[in-house]
Amino acid sequence: MADKRTVALDLATPGMDAEGRPIRVPIGVAEGPGPEPDFSSERLLLNVGPQHPATHGVLRLVVELDGEVVTRVVPHIGYLHSGFEKLGEYRHYNQIIPLTDRTDYLAPMANNVALAMAAEQLMGIEVTERCQVLRVIACELSRIISHLVWLGTTAVDIGAFTPFLWTFQEREKVYDLQEAWTGARLTTSVARVGGMMADLPDGFEPKLREFCQAFPGVLDEVDRLLTRNGIWIARLQGIGIMTGEEAINYGLSGPMLRASGVPYDVRKDRPYLDYETYDFEVPIGEHGDVYDRYLVRMEEMRQSVRILEQALDRLPDGALNVDDPRVILPPKSTAMSDMEAMIFHFKQVMEGVPAPVGEVYTAIENGKGELGYYFVSDGTAKPVRWRIRPPSFLNIAALPKMAEGHLFADLIAINASVDIVMGEIDR
Amino acid sequence: MAIRVVVVKRPEREISYLRAALKGMAMTFRHLLQKKFTMQYPEQRSTDDWSLSPRWRGTHRMLTDEQGRAKCVACGLCPQICPANCIKLVPGEDEVGHRYPLIYEIDEFRCVFCGYCQEVCPEEAIHVGVHYENAEYERERFVYDLERLCAQTHPVSTLWDPSDPKGE
């Protein structure tokens, strides 16, 4: 290894000397950037992304390769930074909801619900029974579409194109449901503090039941295509192994953690929205490799369908929003005819809903893992500080550990198995 | 409460890639015979199964009264609630004391189509509408002024509308 290099710095000037060369003025001597890099081992540095279809967004991976074996991976994030958390400090709690559509944009309804739940916990609001069931439906639909995108794109990464078309077709059906309910396919903004934006439209329940009946059939088809397929097994089994202990130490959550055999599910461990009364099972894996993550997510979608059916069965009548004019806007017809309701309406829009001084952390089980919202309030209608605990941000941190020593093609499979969404990693 | 877990089982036997490929091919060809899921946009705007939801939150529209004036009373709620700060409102007052908007502009580029403006409007004046094709050749054309908002003819979203109690 050579010692530190010294480099003479000089500056070219516009003047010429007698021989027509530009005159250079010495400006000093600086130390060079340390020892010369050792190129003898023939390591190759390779940039994957930020614009690469296999990185699932604008993720940039700097990969050090020895031949075709990955010796080091450094994920570079921040290309999709939007400053949601700073923007939220200047907005009322209800105004933050459109921002949460855009964090995990593959499961927007669950994000809306999580934010509303955190704000409600801060304000001490109990939502109605019907609202809770509607929120369960929103969360489970989000989990299904999030896993469907994962399944389709992962299959494309491995080399199977057909499941991508079939899963995206099913996802379109869920988007149609979201559109009928909220008036938007992706930017749903479905929740409000103390209730929901709107009740289910006419004809929603039969359509959702139809989906619940047909959807497992499509899963079975994908299952028949992939699960026992020799190529699929050869590409995924024994790749990117995380033991249960490692998974906990890295702070993983969601299917990543459960595939390593740790039965941690926020819906069961810290139940919210009455999840303890629903009958469903938590799938866990035994090996902690990419294949187990695939199996766990497939099973989770089936369990989500079970939860959806139970939610539809128990869907109670009654009020959707809490009966508190300080929190929920009065209905339009009342606000336009009743003086008092009009006053509440103006007061709430102009001043927002003040939250008591304090801080709160609320977590839900999103498709990708434990999605947490943390608020600090100083007693005004806007949070002093707001932070998201994005599950894929913590999951991607385990990528260097998982990919080390595998082939480069396996890195793509491992990266796909993490199920990242850059919107919530970069926020 | 003990958590009921189900350990996902791996298949005992794998099938060779050749058989798997043939099986996959057979399934794919069976899908050819199924009902078509796509539609030929823009020739076709809706199918038997799908048409744009009446709750759709799209291009804005300002409703007018019988005399053709905008219903807006320039109360200032929509610029206040707008999370994207895309509404510009300058209120004015006529000789009998009625408030009206001197300037009312919506920047459709900044707008995130959350529909809060319609949700808070106490006069049912500003609406998001069931319409989504608003391409233009110039950026300036995306700032819709009052005249343009009033001239829109598409139906408005039924969200927060007294005619649809479930959406209210």
Side-chain angles (χ1 to χ4, degrees):
Chain A
M1 283 280 175
D3 289 334
K4 277 202 168 173
R5 292 174 300 157
T6 49
V7 183
L9 301 174
D10 49 10
L11 191 70
T13 61
M16 304 277 187
D17 63 8
E19 290 158 27
R21 288 177 311 222
I23 297 169
R24 300 181 78 86
V25 184
I27 55 170
V29 176
E31 282 194 347
E36 287 265 8
D38 180 16
F39 291 111
S40 57
S41 68
E42 294 184 22
R43 295 260 167 89
L44 176 72
L45 269 188
L46 188 68
N47 266 299
V48 186
Q51 296 290 341
H52 191 282
T55 56
H56 297 235
V58 279
L59 172 67
R60 172 171 162 231
L61 298 173
V62 179
V63 189
E64 193 185 70
L65 292 169
D66 182 10
E68 216 181 322
V69 178
V70 175
T71 51
R72 210 150 56 96
V73 186
V74 184
H76 288 233
I77 62 170
Y79 290 92
L80 204 60
H81 178 62
S82 323
F84 291 134
E85 288 164 351
K86 191 68 189 168
L87 288 171
E89 292 171 20
Y90 300 96
R91 273 154 181 78
H92 298 155
Y93 290 96
N94 267 333
Q95 283 178 299
I96 303 175
I97 287 172
L99 295 177
T100 61
D101 287 336
R102 291 153 175 83
T103 55
D104 181 357
Y105 45 79
L106 298 178
M109 294 214 284
N111 279 262
N112 303 154
V113 168
L115 181 123
M117 279 168 54
E120 281 153 12
Q121 200 184 331
L122 191 61
M123 299 171 190
I125 299 169
E126 287 269 324
V127 294
T128 61
E129 210 173 319
R130 182 173 174 84
C131 177
Q132 290 201 340
V133 177
L134 287 198
R135 285 181 177 185
V136 167
I137 293 177
C139 285
E140 295 307 316
L141 278 178
S142 292
R143 189 184 326 281
I144 287 178
I145 53 175
S146 168
H147 282 353
L148 279 177
V149 172
W150 171 82
L151 179 58
T153 52
T154 302
V156 170
D157 283 352
I158 309 295
F161 191 73
T162 315
F164 174 79
L165 298 173
W166 294 353
T167 54
F168 269 60
Q169 182 173 327
E170 288 308 300
R171 180 167 165 260
E172 279 300 303
K173 290 177 188 161
V174 180
Y175 271 180
D176 289 347
L177 290 172
Q178 290 192 359
E179 184 195 319
W181 185 2
T182 70
R185 295 172 81 78
L186 193 95
T187 52
T188 51
S189 304
V190 72
R192 292 287 185 272
V193 177
M196 296 300 261
M197 176 177 83
D199 206 338
L200 298 177
D202 292 328
F204 184 90
E205 291 155 51
K207 267 193 211 152
L208 182 55
R209 269 191 204 282
E210 202 180 303
F211 172 78
C212 287
Q213 263 168 12
F215 177 60
V218 179
L219 273 187
D220 287 342
E221 273 187 326
V222 178
D223 193 53
R224 276 205 294 280
L225 272 186
L226 297 179
T227 307
R228 287 177 61 206
N229 189 324
I231 305 174
W232 189 253
I233 288 175
R235 285 295 306 275
L236 297 191
Q237 284 191 358
I239 303 294
I241 294 175
M242 288 293 268
T243 64
E245 197 185 341
E246 283 168 350
I248 292 172
N249 286 345
Y250 270 87
L252 303 188
S253 55
M256 291 283 290
L257 180 65
R258 289 192 285 274
S260 299
V262 183
Y264 173 73
D265 188 319
V266 186
R267 290 175 294 176
K268 292 280 193 190
D269 287 283
R270 274 172 287 151
Y272 53 95
L273 296 177
D274 282 341
Y275 261 114
E276 68 272 23
T277 57
Y278 290 86
D279 175 32
F280 68 101
E281 280 142 13
V282 178
I284 59 167
E286 290 173 309
H287 304 81
D289 58 2
V290 180
Y291 192 78
D292 271 9
R293 284 170 212 146
Y294 157 74
L295 289 180
V296 164
R297 289 199 175 98
M298 289 293 270
E299 183 59 32
E300 269 187 23
M301 280 191 271
R302 292 179 207 277
Q303 299 293 343
S304 282
V305 172
R306 275 180 68 189
I307 299 173
L308 278 175
E309 278 168 348
Q310 291 171 44
L312 278 176
D313 287 339
R314 70 165 69 172
L315 193 63
D317 293 331
L320 176 64
N321 298 334
V322 290
D323 185 19
D324 188 345
R326 286 170 305 174
V327 179
I328 282 285
L329 288 176
K332 261 296 172 57
S333 41
T334 330
M336 286 166 66
S337 56
D338 182 18
M339 193 63 208
E340 200 186 353
M342 180 69 109
I343 292 169
F344 277 127
H345 185 94
F346 268 74
K347 193 168 158 53
Q348 206 195 110
V349 175
M350 299 306 283
E351 295 173 3
V353 189
V357 181
E359 52 190 278
V360 68
Y361 173 79
T362 305
I364 69 161
E365 183 73 28
N366 196 13
K368 294 166 181 65
E370 179 181 334
L371 171 73
Y373 278 82
Y374 177 64
F375 278 119
V376 182
S377 165
D378 62 348
T380 58
K382 297 171 182 175
V384 175
R385 184 80 175 87
W386 167 51
R387 177 165 153 77
I388 313 169
R389 181 218 187 267
S392 34
F393 176 67
L394 284 97
N395 290 352
I396 192 79
L399 180 68
K401 157 89 184 63
M402 288 189 288
E404 223 165 85
H406 283 297
L407 294 181
F408 181 68
D410 295 334
L411 169 69
I412 301 299
I414 294 166
N415 183 39
S417 79
V418 181
D419 191 13
I420 51 165
V421 52
M422 295 312 285
E424 76 175 2
I425 292 181
D426 295 339
R427 314 199 279 297
Chain B
M1 188 178 70
I3 298 179
R4 273 193 302 122
V5 296
V6 44
V7 179
V8 288
K9 282 277 167 257
R10 299 187 162 202
E12 282 158 15
R13 223 161 40 83
E14 65 180 76
I15 52 178
S16 80
Y17 68 91
L18 198 65
R19 227 186 98 201
L22 287 174
K23 205 169 95 175
M25 207 92 88
M27 280 170 73
T28 313
F29 276 111
R30 225 173 303 141
H31 269 253
L32 269 184
L33 305 173
Q34 283 179 9
K35 207 179 146 208
K36 212 184 271 179
F37 190 74
T38 51
M39 73 179 183
Q40 296 297 323
Y41 180 84
E43 286 83 21
Q44 204 185 350
R45 298 297 174 110
S46 62
T47 61
D48 299 340
D49 303 330
W50 181 83
S51 57
L52 205 59
S53 157
R55 287 184 174 186
W56 183 259
R57 309 194 304 248
T59 317
H60 292 88
R61 182 180 167 195
M62 174 74 82
L63 295 192
T64 50
D65 59 10
E66 302 83 48
Q67 281 104 44
R69 295 173 306 190
K71 277 179 165 180
C72 176
V73 294
C75 68
L77 286 190
C78 49
Q80 170 70 25
I81 197 77
C82 179
N85 292 332
C86 71
I87 304 179
K88 181 180 177 188
L89 169 69
V90 177
E93 208 171 295
D94 65 9
E95 57 279 4
V96 286
H98 287 149
R99 283 164 66 93
Y100 68 98
L102 275 176
I103 302 176
Y104 192 97
E105 284 176 359
I106 294 188
D107 187 342
E108 301 279 319
F109 260 162
R110 283 195 69 91
C111 179
V112 296
F113 296 101
C114 58
Y116 279 27
C117 47
Q118 180 179 346
E119 183 175 359
V120 300
C121 183
E123 288 293 321
E124 297 197 296
I126 188 68
H127 281 76
V128 282
V130 189
H131 178 266
Y132 54 91
E133 290 153 325
N134 36 14
E136 297 282 357
Y137 284 106
E138 286 146 27
R139 293 185 73 87
E140 294 74 37
R141 295 267 301 151
F142 278 96
V143 180
Y144 285 24
D145 58 10
L146 191 60
E147 202 183 334
R148 184 131 176 240
L149 287 166
C150 291
Q152 303 285 339
T153 50
H154 53 259
V156 296
S157 172
T158 58
L159 280 169
W160 310 294
D161 196 303
S163 67
D164 176 15
K166 287 188 163 176
E168 200 168 347

